Amino acid sequence: MPAVDAQRHLLGLDGMDRSRLVSLLERARSFDDGTGRATRGGEHAELLRGQNVCNLFFEDSTRTRVSFSLAATNLGAGVIDLTAPGSSVTKGETIIDTANVVEATGGDALVIRSSAPGAAQSVARHVGVPVINAGDGAHEHPTQGLLDIYALASALGRADAFELSGRTVASVGDSISSRVARSDFFGMITRGARGMCVGPPTLAPPALRAMGCAVSSDLDAVLGEADAVQMLRLQFERHGGSGERVPPGVGSLREYRALYSLTSERAASMKPGAFVMHPGPVNRGLELDGAVADGGRSIILKQVSAGVLVRMAVLAELLG
């Protein structure tokens, strides 16, 4: 099987060279209008004119798919959206065959989202155009990791170098299933942050220390250490259940909320200047209270805005 040239694609942040990571963040900043939103028009509006970015989303998404589409449009590219229900995947075609077909019809870059870990890397081995991993199972979500660094560094006033030295970032909840937590830690630790996974032992097991982060099952004991808290969604679907069947090791949703939800009372014990983050979608009343999600500590919508900037940077690097 052919080797994958990591520089031609964006498949993950694990092992990414520090200089490339910073270069992507700096490029994202060049598209920032000064408020955290993407500048419209200007020279970059023609950067990818005549090229087609194809979103192959075989898993549900709102923020990621919309922001990739807007990012491509802002750079002048055409956008093709393909989802599993509207593709031949429902007829038994493999993702690789679908990717080959889309490339053959004129796709210049493929954005892949799949519930199968390694799906984007597998596609990258079989096509001749850049592949961007938009989330593969519980493996990685690299553009989410980049946008979280961008949003947090900006909120901390460190967007000049995107440096997070001396800062502690805690991911709270279902870290074992979270591709966001993995990409966040791979990227944030590279930028100097101290990472911490917090949750019940089944969802934040000691094995996660292999990513270079600390692990705790007591949110109240460590909350005061965090400069930012990334609240994670309970991913029922990755544990073979639904919203009515809790993941293993979680006695009940009421118990989970009592121990790990960022309630208004718990948020009041955070250190001054600490921020609340969430990759979405937010289950209000479970991972965090609505008043916290909408409160002054929250940079959740700034994460969404940063998503367009970062995805513009990635497309510009790979296609510009």
Side-chain angles (χ1 to χ4, degrees):
M1 186 173 291
V4 174
D5 180 358
Q7 295 299 314
R8 295 190 62 247
H9 311 283
L10 182 68
L11 303 176
L13 299 188
D14 186 10
M16 176 180 284
D17 182 82
R18 181 188 299 253
S19 62
R20 185 186 184 195
L21 191 152
V22 174
S23 175
L24 285 168
L25 294 171
E26 289 176 341
R27 189 179 294 231
R29 185 178 58 204
S30 74
F31 299 131
D32 195 323
D33 68 359
T35 69
R37 298 173 67 90
T39 302
R40 298 185 183 183
E43 293 181 2
H44 66 260
E46 299 292 325
L47 185 63
L48 300 185
R49 184 69 62 191
Q51 301 197 65
N52 294 311
V53 175
C54 303
N55 294 326
L56 278 58
F57 277 55
F58 304 110
E59 189 180 53
D60 293 341
S61 169
T62 298
R63 294 154 189 78
T64 304
R65 191 170 76 176
V66 169
S67 62
F68 265 114
S69 295
L70 288 173
T73 301
N74 288 345
L75 296 173
V79 178
I80 292 96
D81 283 313
L82 185 67
T83 60
S87 74
S88 293
V89 169
T90 58
K91 301 177 182 179
E93 184 173 78
T94 68
I95 291 179
I96 291 172
D97 283 339
T98 299
N100 282 326
V101 168
V102 172
E103 179 188 13
T105 58
D108 296 295
L110 307 181
V111 183
I112 309 288
R113 187 180 182 96
S114 171
S115 60
Q121 185 168 30
S122 294
V123 170
R125 295 182 186 279
H126 291 86
V127 299
V129 297
V131 173
I132 301 166
N133 181 6
D136 60 332
H139 177 225
E140 274 216 55
H141 194 351
T143 55
Q144 182 73 43
L146 290 169
L147 73 87
D148 286 340
I149 297 172
Y150 190 97
L152 179 56
S154 298
L156 291 169
R158 294 188 170 188
D160 55 336
F162 300 101
E163 180 65 50
L164 297 176
S165 296
R167 302 292 183 166
T168 296
V169 180
S171 286
V172 180
D174 194 0
S175 294
I176 193 67
S177 305
S178 178
R179 55 197 175 202
V180 173
R182 291 176 63 82
S183 287
D184 271 359
F185 287 130
F186 290 140
M188 290 183 179
I189 291 172
T190 296
R191 298 309 301 139
R194 172 181 177 243
M196 183 186 305
C197 290
V198 185
T202 50
L203 302 184
L208 292 177
R209 293 192 180 103
M211 292 192 298
C213 60
V215 176
S216 175
S217 60
D218 190 339
L219 175 59
D220 291 317
V222 300
L223 184 60
E225 302 175 26
D227 296 284
V229 179
Q230 176 90 292
M231 302 305 296
L232 301 174
R233 181 176 64 88
L234 269 180
Q235 300 189 50
F236 299 100
E237 70 277 9
R238 300 200 194 285
H239 297 282
S242 66
E244 298 177 354
R245 179 182 173 186
V246 298
V250 178
S252 67
L253 295 185
R254 178 177 295 180
E255 177 185 333
Y256 182 86
R257 175 171 165 76
L259 294 174
Y260 300 107
S261 177
L262 193 59
T263 61
S264 296
E265 294 75 19
R266 193 168 265 141
S269 68
M270 294 173 65
K271 67 162 60 174
F275 295 103
V276 174
M277 307 174 72
H278 196 300
V282 178
N283 291 314
R284 292 171 179 252
L286 180 54
E287 298 111 43
L288 73 171
D289 287 353
V292 178
D294 301 328
R297 292 184 181 274
S298 174
I299 58 170
I300 294 173
L301 291 181
K302 293 184 183 301
Q303 292 172 265
V304 176
S305 297
V308 179
L309 299 172
V310 160
R311 286 153 185 151
M312 288 174 69
V314 171
L315 291 172
E317 181 204 61
L318 298 179
L319 290 176

